[in-house]
Amino acid sequence: MCGPSGNDRATQEAQQAEDARKRQVASATSAIDSAFGKRGSQLGDFAQALRGEFNTEALKQKAVADRQLKFALARGGLTKGSADVDANALLGEEFQKGLASGERGVQQALSDLAGADEASRQNLISLAQGGASVSSSAAAAANALRSNIQGARSSSVAEGLGDIFANTRNLYVKQQESAARRRGLEESEVFADPFSR
Amino acid sequence: MCDPATIGLIVSAVGTGASAVSKNRMLKKQDQQAAAGIRKQSANQRESDRLVNQQIRDLDANTGASERAASLQDFQSAIRGNRSATEAGLDDPNAIGGDRFTARAGDASNRLKTAGQAMAERLSTIDGILRQRVNEGQDVGRLNVDLNQVRGNVAADDFLTKLRIAGERENPFVTGGAGLLQGFGSALSQRQPKVDPPTPQPIGRGN
């Protein structure tokens, strides 16, 4: 009675502490999974907003490019000709490529965000499992990774689509240059013979 | 009854018993110290659990709405602050553009406002979610600092517990006395009892 049983208080305390630790790990892991599980709709909102931003930008560029192309073709006397068809086909192709590029950006951003959330989830589970004994460097590394991802994503969102109608715009620029050249020739003729007008 | 061997055995048994009692008392005290140390470590574990659980609760409660609202306000202020520059070409202070220009300029101005608001909402949704993650990353960083403090307490308590356990020794006087008794008893029990030499009998005298 008083021999070995009196000397196993430490064992009993250790057993109780271990049982409590296991219960805490189980409940914390479940709570973490539940908290991150709720973020599905938030990721959907993020993708939708990003897609909307890219699409708005693409449509705005398309409207400007349509207008410029229309005037460029008219100025060159190419309206309703084969050049008109080719240029509009190129414009449509570039628009499609721009939309695809935007969607790729959306998917990439979404993937990065989900990856960062997953790293964060695992990090928190490690903290819940290890508590005071977990390696702080591992947690710090996960945290740093997360910050890097956020930084990269922010800049990519800020960069946007860029100029998606580079080729079509080239046509417009060439038309503008040709128009300027024609005006220059006319002006030089006037200069050479002031009474020609 | 009380021959030296018996006395030696009794003395030796008393010595062994005293040694056993002393050792048992030391083990019990060491056990108590270990139990106290484990209780302290459990308290440290509870503190770290509390910190982690708080972080989980914050994470669960944070929908990102406050970050989105703050971001929306920033975008709206930026747009409102530059409204006059944004709509610079759409006003007609000298009214030389005619009714049609005025109507079109008004429509364009309204479209700009709507588009600006829509853009602010889209961008704040994106930035709000990113801000939320960045804030959470900083919270986890702070949690790590707090947990490091608990880790320091864990190491200090562990060291102190080991010192306390090592400090629980047997009473040297009891140990020494028990050893002496055992030795004395052992020596006493091995001592040969004093036997009287047999008295010689006369041989063949009567014959």
Side-chain angles (χ1 to χ4, degrees):
Chain A
M1 278 299 285
C2 63
S5 62
N7 289 347
D8 66 354
R9 193 175 291 173
T11 312
Q12 288 169 7
E13 293 281 353
Q15 185 63 50
Q16 282 171 8
E18 179 57 19
D19 290 346
R21 194 191 68 81
K22 280 180 185 164
R23 278 197 301 275
Q24 156 66 14
V25 167
S27 88
T29 305
S30 158
I32 291 166
D33 285 343
S34 160
F36 279 96
K38 287 179 190 166
R39 299 204 160 176
S41 65
Q42 204 188 32
L43 293 181
D45 290 346
F46 176 79
Q48 196 179 349
L50 199 54
R51 197 172 284 129
E53 189 56 27
F54 283 148
N55 283 353
T56 307
E57 173 68 21
L59 286 170
K60 204 185 299 169
Q61 287 194 32
K62 174 81 163 51
V64 172
D66 276 343
R67 200 161 43 244
Q68 286 178 341
L69 183 63
K70 189 174 169 184
F71 281 102
L73 290 169
R75 200 177 291 118
L78 301 169
T79 305
K80 302 297 171 197
S82 63
D84 186 342
V85 174
D86 291 346
N88 274 298
L90 179 64
L91 187 77
E93 200 178 302
E94 283 186 316
F95 183 57
Q96 280 178 344
K97 208 181 279 181
L99 291 177
S101 164
E103 185 57 30
R104 195 170 54 200
V106 170
Q107 294 302 328
Q108 183 64 48
L110 198 58
S111 159
D112 286 350
L113 189 61
D117 274 356
E118 179 58 21
S120 184
R121 189 183 73 87
Q122 289 176 5
N123 183 24
L124 262 182
I125 288 176
S126 294
L127 286 175
Q129 284 173 343
S133 61
V134 77
S135 157
S136 61
S137 59
N143 197 29
L145 171 78
R146 200 172 134 92
S147 298
N148 289 345
I149 285 169
Q150 301 315 329
R153 205 49 19 233
S154 299
S155 62
S156 128
V157 171
E159 278 166 18
L161 279 177
D163 183 5
I164 60 175
F165 296 107
N167 293 327
T168 316
R169 197 165 327 284
N170 198 28
L171 181 70
Y172 169 74
V173 169
K174 277 184 181 165
Q175 289 295 341
Q176 289 285 83
E177 284 170 358
S178 302
R181 203 177 305 118
R182 278 197 299 276
R183 265 199 312 278
L185 284 170
E186 282 168 16
E187 293 298 325
S188 65
E189 280 170 15
V190 171
F191 183 74
D193 181 4
F195 303 105
S196 62
R197 276 189 180 168
Chain B
M1 276 296 286
C2 288
D3 60 304
T6 310
I7 292 170
L9 280 174
I10 290 169
V11 168
S12 185
V14 167
T16 306
S19 173
V21 166
S22 170
K23 188 165 274 180
N24 194 45
R25 190 172 288 165
M26 179 198 75
L27 288 173
K28 196 168 185 177
K29 281 187 177 175
Q30 283 186 343
D31 181 63
Q32 283 169 349
Q33 291 294 356
I38 291 167
R39 277 197 296 277
K40 275 204 165 181
Q41 298 296 26
S42 293
N44 287 327
Q45 184 66 45
R46 276 197 298 277
E47 174 60 11
S48 82
D49 290 346
R50 188 188 67 78
L51 293 167
V52 171
N53 287 343
Q54 183 60 48
Q55 174 70 22
I56 296 169
R57 273 196 296 277
D58 290 349
L59 191 102
D60 190 47
N62 189 1
T63 58
S66 61
E67 284 90 347
R68 185 180 183 275
S71 177
L72 181 63
Q73 199 170 2
D74 291 346
F75 282 118
Q76 283 175 335
S77 317
I79 291 169
R80 273 196 215 107
N82 295 292
R83 177 153 291 163
S84 58
T86 308
E87 298 173 8
L90 299 175
D91 58 348
D92 190 12
N94 299 321
I96 54 171
D99 292 343
R100 205 166 168 194
F101 176 83
T102 309
R104 284 201 163 203
D107 287 349
S109 175
N110 287 335
R111 273 204 308 277
L112 265 178
K113 280 178 195 138
T114 311
Q117 177 63 21
M119 181 185 69
E121 283 179 8
R122 279 193 308 270
L123 290 180
S124 64
T125 300
I126 297 164
D127 280 15
I129 289 170
L130 296 178
R131 273 191 201 189
Q132 181 194 7
R133 267 48 173 195
V134 169
N135 288 346
E136 281 172 2
Q138 287 166 353
D139 287 345
V140 172
R142 276 190 286 275
L143 172 67
N144 267 311
V145 171
D146 293 343
L147 284 179
N148 271 337
Q149 195 176 350
V150 180
R151 284 181 198 116
N153 293 343
V154 166
D157 287 341
D158 187 47
F159 179 68
L160 287 174
T161 301
K162 279 177 184 160
L163 274 184
R164 285 190 186 115
I165 289 172
E168 291 297 346
R169 298 194 189 102
E170 289 185 68
N171 187 331
F173 295 109
V174 174
T175 314
L180 278 175
L181 281 176
Q182 279 175 308
F184 179 68
S186 175
L188 205 62
S189 65
Q190 282 170 10
R191 197 171 155 195
Q192 292 296 321
K194 200 182 265 183
V195 180
D196 292 335
T199 46
Q201 298 289 324
I203 301 165
R205 242 316 146 88
N207 294 335

